[in-house]
Amino acid sequence: MSIFRNRAASAAIVAVAAGALTLTACGGGGGGSSKDNSKTKDDAKAQSKPVKIGDAKASTGPAPEVPGAKPGGVATVYQEADFSHLDPGQIYVSDGKLLSRLIFRGLTQYDEDDQGNLTVVGDLATDAGKVSDGGKTWTYTLKDNLKDANGNPINSADIRHTVERLYASYITDGPTYLQQALSGAGTTYRKAYPGPDKGKHLPKTVLDTPDDKTIVFHFKEAQVDLPQMLTMPGYSVVPEETDTKEKYDNAPVALGPYKIADFKPGKSMKLVKNDQWDAKSDSVRHQYVDGFDIEMNHDDEDQTKTLLADQGSAKNAMMFTGQVATTQLQQVVGNKAAMKRTIQGYAPYVWQLNFNLDRVKDKKLRDAITLALPSASVFKADGGAYGGEVANSLMSPTTPGYDEAFDPFNRKGKPNGDIEAAKKLIKEGGFEGKKLVYAYGNTPVRQQQAVLIATALEKIGLDIQKKEIDSATWYEQVGKVKNGYDLYMTGWGQDWPSASTVFPPLYDGKQIQDGASNYSHINDPKVNSEIERIAKITDTTEATKAWAELNEYISKEVNPAAPIYYTKVFQIFGSNIGGIRYSSDSSYVDVTRVFLKK
């Protein structure tokens, strides 16, 4: 997905987690106890099952009422940092996904039940799509009377424009699945079409709009997962008439139940009701509260302390991508009343230490660093047992094909690193005293983790130069090919339950470019050819097995990134916030159903 921002998506996503997850709004059923009732890999495994495809009836609004919901009031949202992008085409992180669910709409979306099971339904479209030609052709029909926040009607030309603008040079940070499927893998899609600013459209043999309500996608290869793909916030609609191109990041136009009324970058954002949104056209979202006041610069410590105290305006406050702070974990877990207003989930993200292969070229050095990483200490700094667990693989337990037994660096036996084994490799390679630049985000958790990692690597004889980066622009900076760093952590989660949303974006050498997700710049011929081969396998079981085998090759033969920990989510809310539940779509709270109890 998504890359995880807090990607930490996010994100991805986003980026964007998909799948099914059993949740409990009271924190594992044992509220008030200090016992570890956090989510487990058994919960994660449930997320690996395929999503369902809904029909036109399932796509018809309004959405079923949330039990006990009442209209009115303004919910306050605490955010650690600003949103890196507001332009849908640039959104690929977790906090951007949650905001997108409130203000944007695409052709499809996920409908989620109370057990976390997901069904793809039509959002702006009447259904999840009609497929023909063996999966190569998909047809969508728009619902009636769709309008943006300015009252302009939405038609097929707006959908075409939304797709075509993704080819523009200023779109660098969003997902590229759709563009590649339409016009070529890797970065070749940019050569196939210069973008709408040149005054041309994609050929009708690629993207056709025969009338105002019909959109037809023509692919060279079967795209069985297109309905899931189109749920991503990166493919939300940008109306042609109101597109300000590079400036769209500053003031996007809403199609969802809320719109941006005021935005002070780095400080605050105010959402109010979009009176042009019609509940009858939306089978998932609600518009219970009058708006959301989003306050930035609240780190996890501040968010947890304020929400746990539950005084005054904090009763109407909530987290988006914030989590219960490690230092206050026991105060929350040991408080039965507080636990009743928490949610938990096993998120799909793998936090990994990327090696910039343009600079860290010796595999023996990469292996030494991987062996030395204090994974247990690092994840405990990010929420303890409720925040994650040691990762044995670059695949998440939520991803089909995950194998808990595959543990090439003995994370199970040495969860806090094997310093002696790492020292041996350092000595063999003559790396004593080697300088490496380790970049990290300027948040309390990342700062603590940086100290833990730098200390461990200094123990094996390396000279670590720590470089702190603004967390709001973290992925833009490490996403540059010439970023100037040797080591940096990123988090990635599946965009839907398939390793096809993990390995191509992260490890395909053909996708190396500024803003792409190949953060380690791996360009291995065998990996590239295997990704191309596996992507064409239509048998899910066979493809899953092939992705798992490729995962083993990447880890053992190349080692472009060291897995550190898997992510769990543990959030707390004000006592007057209603409708809260964990979303296996967003990997955080389901923002589509929030209301104030009184």
Side-chain angles (χ1 to χ4, degrees):
M1 161 179 123
S2 67
I3 304 170
F4 182 57
R5 154 118 92 153
N6 185 4
R7 229 186 238 222
S10 341
I13 17 179
V14 58
V16 182
L21 176 66
T22 301
L23 66 100
T24 167
C26 57
S33 169
S34 60
K35 179 183 177 183
D36 176 7
N37 288 311
S38 63
K39 291 297 179 180
T40 68
K41 288 179 180 176
D42 287 336
D43 297 302
K45 188 176 181 180
Q47 284 184 257
S48 65
K49 64 182 180 182
V51 301
K52 297 178 180 179
I53 303 297
D55 57 14
K57 183 178 180 180
S59 307
T60 302
E65 293 295 331
V66 177
K70 298 177 181 179
V74 175
T76 298
V77 176
Y78 297 140
Q79 270 283 102
E80 184 168 61
D82 200 351
F83 301 98
S84 55
H85 287 291
L86 299 180
D87 183 330
Q90 302 271 53
I91 293 175
Y92 210 173
V93 292
S94 303
D95 52 0
K97 169 142 182 129
L98 269 73
L99 181 66
S100 295
R101 294 296 286 140
L102 295 173
I103 65 175
F104 298 132
R105 298 181 70 178
L107 284 175
T108 64
Q109 65 176 327
Y110 284 119
D111 186 3
E112 185 167 358
D113 66 20
D114 286 337
Q115 286 70 49
N117 298 303
L118 296 176
T119 300
V120 184
V121 297
D123 187 359
L124 296 176
T126 56
D127 54 33
K130 291 181 172 60
V131 62
S132 58
D133 190 25
K136 295 181 181 180
T137 299
W138 285 84
T139 302
Y140 288 89
T141 303
L142 294 178
K143 294 175 180 176
D144 296 330
N145 302 318
L146 299 171
K147 296 179 181 180
D148 68 18
N150 294 329
N152 297 317
I154 298 300
N155 56 39
S156 61
D158 295 304
I159 309 302
R160 182 184 63 203
H161 177 75
T162 296
V163 175
E164 290 178 342
R165 74 189 296 274
L166 297 173
Y167 291 73
S169 59
Y170 54 83
I171 301 296
T172 60
D173 290 324
T176 57
Y177 295 114
L178 182 59
Q179 304 93 295
Q180 291 180 15
L182 288 170
S183 304
T187 60
T188 58
Y189 73 91
R190 291 195 181 276
K191 300 175 184 177
Y193 174 64
D197 299 340
K198 303 296 182 181
K200 295 183 179 181
H201 292 304
L202 283 166
K204 290 184 178 181
T205 53
V206 174
L207 178 62
D208 192 15
T209 51
D211 57 54
D212 283 349
K213 297 190 70 174
T214 306
I215 304 97
V216 185
F217 295 97
H218 297 285
F219 301 101
K220 295 178 181 178
E221 305 286 344
Q223 299 296 324
V224 296
D225 289 342
L226 184 66
Q228 294 96 305
M229 184 191 303
L230 293 176
T231 67
M232 299 178 71
Y235 299 127
S236 297
V237 171
V238 175
E240 184 173 18
E241 189 171 337
T242 52
D243 187 4
T244 52
K245 303 176 183 179
E246 295 94 333
K247 297 179 181 179
Y248 202 71
D249 239 346
N250 302 325
V253 177
L255 277 76
Y258 297 91
K259 62 183 179 180
I260 299 173
D262 183 66
F263 178 41
K264 295 180 175 60
K267 295 181 180 179
S268 64
M269 178 183 291
K270 181 180 181 64
L271 304 183
V272 298
K273 285 185 175 181
N274 172 13
D275 60 8
Q276 298 297 319
W277 173 80
D278 184 359
K280 294 178 182 178
S281 74
D282 198 325
S283 63
V284 174
R285 299 177 186 85
H286 296 278
Q287 198 184 47
Y288 289 130
V289 297
D290 294 330
F292 293 83
D293 286 347
I294 303 173
E295 300 178 4
M296 298 161 192
N297 303 308
H298 293 278
D299 61 29
D300 285 350
E301 293 276 351
D302 181 29
Q303 292 187 41
T304 307
K305 181 179 180 181
T306 305
L307 291 167
L308 180 59
D310 197 40
Q311 298 295 312
S313 61
K315 293 182 179 181
N316 295 339
M318 60 184 291
M319 295 175 161
F320 259 18
T321 55
Q323 297 213 65
V324 171
T326 308
T327 55
Q328 298 171 69
L329 184 63
Q330 291 308 316
Q331 291 95 308
V332 175
V333 174
N335 185 324
K336 183 176 289 188
M339 285 295 285
K340 290 181 179 179
R341 45 191 179 91
T342 65
I343 57 172
Q344 290 187 56
Y346 201 113
Y349 303 104
V350 182
W351 272 103
Q352 54 205 41
L353 183 70
N354 296 276
F355 302 110
N356 185 338
L357 298 189
D358 297 330
R359 297 162 61 102
V360 188
K361 298 182 178 181
D362 196 302
K363 181 177 181 293
K364 187 171 287 187
L365 175 58
R366 300 196 297 272
D367 288 350
I369 293 171
T370 304
L371 284 168
L373 289 174
S375 294
S377 297
V378 172
F379 92 73
K380 286 175 181 175
D382 193 10
Y386 286 79
E389 65 180 317
V390 172
N392 59 289
S393 169
L394 293 170
M395 290 181 79
S396 165
T398 64
T399 306
Y402 168 76
D403 181 5
E404 189 171 1
F406 178 66
D407 189 9
F409 294 97
N410 193 24
R411 288 285 191 258
K412 187 173 184 179
K414 298 278 187 177
N416 253 328
D418 191 336
I419 297 298
E420 294 307 312
K423 279 183 177 179
K424 182 179 179 182
L425 292 182
I426 291 292
K427 186 174 182 180
E428 289 176 1
F431 302 124
E432 295 97 333
K434 184 173 179 61
K435 289 185 178 181
L436 294 171
V437 179
Y438 174 57
Y440 60 96
N442 64 341
T443 65
V445 169
R446 302 301 170 228
Q447 290 165 342
Q448 294 167 30
Q449 292 174 331
V451 171
L452 293 167
I453 290 173
T455 299
L457 299 186
E458 286 164 357
K459 284 181 180 178
I460 65 175
L462 297 174
D463 183 357
I464 303 300
Q465 309 291 311
K466 297 204 299 282
K467 175 70 174 178
E468 191 166 285
I469 297 177
D470 177 17
S471 63
T473 59
W474 170 257
Y475 281 92
E476 285 72 24
Q477 295 193 56
V478 300
K480 293 177 181 177
V481 176
K482 303 291 185 181
N483 59 37
Y485 314 128
D486 297 300
L487 312 169
Y488 33 92
M489 279 174 56
T490 59
W492 187 269
Q494 64 200 39
D495 288 311
W496 56 86
S498 171
S500 65
T501 66
V502 176
F503 293 100
L506 291 186
Y507 306 115
D508 186 352
K510 297 189 294 296
Q511 299 199 34
I512 296 174
Q513 63 174 328
D514 285 352
S517 303
N518 185 337
Y519 297 111
S520 60
H521 311 148
I522 174 178
N523 192 12
D524 182 89
K526 180 173 180 178
V527 174
N528 295 346
S529 63
E530 277 297 280
I531 286 175
E532 185 174 353
R533 180 186 73 83
I534 301 169
K536 296 178 181 178
I537 299 175
T538 56
D539 182 272
T540 303
T541 302
E542 182 184 347
T544 297
K545 183 175 182 291
W547 287 124
E549 291 171 351
L550 180 59
N551 173 51
E552 294 192 11
Y553 174 85
I554 291 173
S555 294
K556 293 193 291 188
E557 303 302 327
V558 186
N559 190 17
I564 304 178
Y565 65 104
Y566 301 127
T567 305
K568 301 178 187 178
V569 170
F570 186 32
Q571 297 183 299
I572 186 171
F573 302 85
S575 59
N576 199 38
I577 296 288
I580 60 170
R581 70 177 183 187
Y582 179 82
S583 168
S584 52
D585 171 27
S586 71
S587 299
Y588 292 99
V589 62
D590 184 347
V591 296
T592 67
R593 41 187 280 130
V594 169
F595 65 89
L596 297 186
K597 297 176 182 177
K598 57 183 178 181

